[in-house]
Amino acid sequence: LSFMATTASAQQFRSLGNFGIGFSCGTRTAISNDGTTVIGVEVTASWQGNPPIYNSFYWKTGWLQLPQPITTIQILDKPAGLLNPSMAKDVSADGNTIIADAYLFGAGYRSYVWNQGTGGTITTSILPFNGNLGLGAQAVSGDAKKIVGLAFSQVYIWNQTTGQMTQVSNTTGLTVRPKAMSLDGEAFISTVFGFSDYEATYWDSTGGVYLSMGSLIPGHINPNSEGHDITPDGTMAVGFS
């Protein structure tokens, strides 16, 4: 069961509903900057030994004040040919663009973009990221013009305007997992995985290199840290250590 909290009048938790018998996996849940759109994955229990069903969902409302009518969650549309399981990953600042992965029979996972245009028209399109390992598109910029992701273990940035993918030079020599992008897509945070530890890093288009964000336990044999989110202007990030 997914929920959201609001600070209007008083802090409250609100259920977003579900698709029936199941629960929501919070590891991939995100909310738009204006609070009108929530995305996530619901894992529906199965019976008779069958595997569970993974459905990406979105929830939208035009009202932020309480009390408000509860809008039921909707299954996230997929491009033709893509199947479950699906994993919604990120949402743009205005809630109109969502990136997700879904399964293409015989070819593994593929990343795609879901967009709600003027008048509520919904379009979907498959992205060029290779998602065979479930590591395709990872984050979308707040303005929805850029998407960062992985293709063949290399980090790329896809530009919606030009339709081009640009490889980000890996200055660490290690495995990099992008997590979140700034509003304009000119900066993102990620986690770099070493042989026995992992570390939060920051990248922007000006410097073009991955910068360590440090650890709360400097000097420790395994000073692990992980980046989770970044502010719209790209000047601050949050994570854990």
Side-chain angles (χ1 to χ4, degrees), residues 160-176:
Q160 182 188 44
T161 303
T162 63
Q164 299 296 313
M165 287 209 325
T166 302
Q167 183 175 347
V168 177
S169 178
N170 187 347
T171 56
T172 70
L174 301 172
T175 301
V176 179

Side-chain angles (χ1 to χ4, degrees), residues 142-229:
D143 60 12
K145 293 182 179 180
K146 295 181 179 179
I147 294 173
V148 64
L150 294 169
F152 303 105
S153 300
Q154 297 295 321
V155 176
Y156 287 83
I157 294 178
W158 180 76
N159 188 307
Q160 182 188 44
T161 303
T162 63
Q164 299 296 313
M165 287 209 325
T166 302
Q167 183 175 347
V168 177
S169 178
N170 187 347
T171 56
T172 70
L174 301 172
T175 301
V176 179
R177 181 81 58 83
K179 182 63 178 179
M181 295 191 89
S182 61
L183 180 66
D184 59 6
E186 294 298 306
F188 65 84
I189 62 167
S190 57
T191 301
V192 174
F193 294 87
F195 295 105
S196 60
D197 59 2
Y198 47 92
E199 185 175 29
T201 57
Y202 171 89
W203 180 96
D204 65 29
S205 59
T206 302
V209 297
Y210 292 98
L211 300 176
S212 170
M213 294 172 61
S215 168
L216 294 178
I217 316 175
H220 192 274
I221 188 173
N222 294 119
N224 294 331
S225 62
E226 185 171 333
H228 276 199
D229 208 354

Side-chain angles (χ1 to χ4, degrees), residues 12 22 56 64 71 76 85 88 92 94 102 105 108 115 124 148 162 176 181 211 224 228 236-237:
Q12 295 189 29
S56 293
L64 295 179
T71 305
L76 188 69
S92 61
D94 63 6
F105 184 75
N115 182 263
T124 59
V148 64
T162 63
V176 179
M181 295 191 89
L211 300 176
N224 294 331
H228 276 199
M236 296 185 67

Side-chain angles (χ1 to χ4, degrees), residues 11 54 96-97 124 186 208 230:
Q11 292 184 354
Y54 292 77
N96 289 331
T97 299
T124 59
E186 294 298 306
I230 192 171

Side-chain angles (χ1 to χ4, degrees), residues 6-206:
T6 177
T7 57
S9 301
Q11 292 184 354
Q12 295 189 29
F13 286 105
R14 305 206 60 172
S15 169
L16 300 183
N18 57 30
F19 297 131
I21 302 174
F23 60 93
S24 292
C25 173
T27 58
R28 286 295 184 186
T29 299
I31 188 169
S32 61
N33 284 10
D34 59 8
T36 63
T37 306
V38 177
I39 66 167
V41 178
E42 177 164 291
V43 185
T44 304
S46 61
W47 305 100
Q48 298 179 342
N50 294 318
I53 300 172
Y54 292 77
N55 267 309
S56 293
F57 71 82
Y58 69 96
W59 177 95
K60 280 182 174 285
T61 179
W63 301 91
L64 295 179
Q65 295 79 20
L66 291 174
Q68 66 184 26
I70 296 177
T71 305
T72 57
I73 60 176
Q74 304 292 323
I75 294 177
L76 188 69
D77 308 82
K78 294 183 287 290
L82 294 189
L83 309 168
N84 284 332
S86 62
M87 292 288 290
K89 291 187 172 180
D90 202 10
V91 61
S92 61
D94 63 6
N96 289 331
T97 299
I98 298 170
I99 60 170
D101 284 348
Y103 185 71
L104 180 63
F105 184 75
Y109 288 90
R110 290 294 181 266
S111 296
Y112 70 95
V113 60
W114 176 99
N115 182 263
Q116 185 173 44
T118 304
T121 302
I122 293 175
T123 59
T124 59
S125 57
I126 297 177
L127 290 167
F129 292 113
N130 172 33
N132 281 330
L133 300 178
L135 301 176
Q138 296 294 294
V140 61
S141 60
D143 60 12
K145 293 182 179 180
K146 295 181 179 179
I147 294 173
V148 64
L150 294 169
F152 303 105
S153 300
Q154 297 295 321
V155 176
Y156 287 83
I157 294 178
W158 180 76
N159 188 307
Q160 182 188 44
T161 303
T162 63
Q164 299 296 313
M165 287 209 325
T166 302
Q167 183 175 347
V168 177
S169 178
N170 187 347
T171 56
T172 70
L174 301 172
T175 301
V176 179
R177 181 81 58 83
K179 182 63 178 179
M181 295 191 89
S182 61
L183 180 66
D184 59 6
E186 294 298 306
F188 65 84
I189 62 167
S190 57
T191 301
V192 174
F193 294 87
F195 295 105
S196 60
D197 59 2
Y198 47 92
E199 185 175 29
T201 57
Y202 171 89
W203 180 96
D204 65 29
S205 59
T206 302

